């Protein structure tokens, strides 16, 4: 399980300007829909954006705090 604030902190370590919208899909704090906005996504392919987010939360994936993560990304204007 991971709290929303901890998830935001993980992403912001890699993407400091990130704005996140998080939805806990099951109420169990391990299945999330997340929208991440960052200027770092400018000119980056969708697949690479998702890789950037996955790399940011790798630690929580590895230890089981995050089981499922549906990612949407947008360039922060």
């Amino acid at each position: 399980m991971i709290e929303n604030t901890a998830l935001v902190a993980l992403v912001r370590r890699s993407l400091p300007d990130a704005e996140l919208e998080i939805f806990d899909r099951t109420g169990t704090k391990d299945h999330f829909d997340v929208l991440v906005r960052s200027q770092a996504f400018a000119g980056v392919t969708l697949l690479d954006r998702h890789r950037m987010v996955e790399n940011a939360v790798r630690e929580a994936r590895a230890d089981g705090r995050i089981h499922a993560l549906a990612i949407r990304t947008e360039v922060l204007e």
Side-chain angles (χ1 to χ4, degrees), residues 59-72:
E59 165 188 320
R61 283 278 215 183
D63 66 18
R65 287 179 287 161
I66 297 175
H67 177 72
L69 187 67
I71 301 169
R72 290 184 310 142

Side-chain angles (χ1 to χ4, degrees), residues 22-66:
I22 301 169
F23 177 72
D24 182 354
R25 293 189 336 211
T26 61
T28 58
K29 298 183 182 178
D30 65 351
H31 291 72
F32 298 97
D33 290 336
V34 63
L35 169 61
V36 182
R37 293 182 188 95
S38 174
Q39 291 179 342
F41 296 146
V44 177
T45 67
L46 181 61
L47 181 58
D48 285 337
R49 290 178 186 189
H50 285 223
R51 286 180 178 142
M52 292 166 72
V53 175
E54 284 288 352
N55 285 337
V57 300
R58 179 178 308 203
E59 165 188 320
R61 283 278 215 183
D63 66 18
R65 287 179 287 161
I66 297 175

